[in-house]
Amino acid sequence: KNISKPCTATAGDANEDGKILLTDIVTIVNILFKGGVLPNPACSADADNNGQVNVSDIIYLTNFLFKKGNKPIKTTVCCL
């Protein structure tokens, strides 16, 4: 029996608009430095899947969007 959490979100889509864009980086900046609220599930903002939303997620998404870096890492819940 599979009891894992359903796949409901996209890793790196911090503003939950269905796309991974510069606005997701801005959302993470606001979360970290302006008291913004984490998305639900929080893995939407955890692009590097290290279990935390921090500056490394900003760098990871910047590399993905502008330097052809790796895609955000999928998890059980953030797998779209």
Side-chain angles (χ1 to χ4, degrees), residues 17-59:
D17 67 353
K19 299 172 241 165
I20 300 174
L21 301 168
L22 178 60
T23 53
D24 297 298
I25 295 170
V26 173
T27 297
I28 297 171
V29 168
N30 286 334
I31 290 167
L32 295 176
F33 301 108
K34 300 252 182 191
V37 178
L38 280 172
N40 186 10
C43 58
S44 297
D46 184 15
D48 62 4
N49 190 27
N50 70 353
Q52 301 174 4
V53 177
N54 54 32
V55 174
S56 68
D57 298 300
I58 296 168
I59 295 166

Side-chain angles (χ1 to χ4, degrees), residues 4-9 76-79:
S4 63
K5 295 180 180 180
C7 178
T8 59
T76 304
V77 177
C78 287
C79 59

Side-chain angles (χ1 to χ4, degrees), residues 67-79:
K67 299 281 191 175
K68 297 183 181 178
N70 294 329
K71 292 180 180 180
I73 301 170
K74 294 181 178 184
T75 65
T76 304
V77 177
C78 287
C79 59

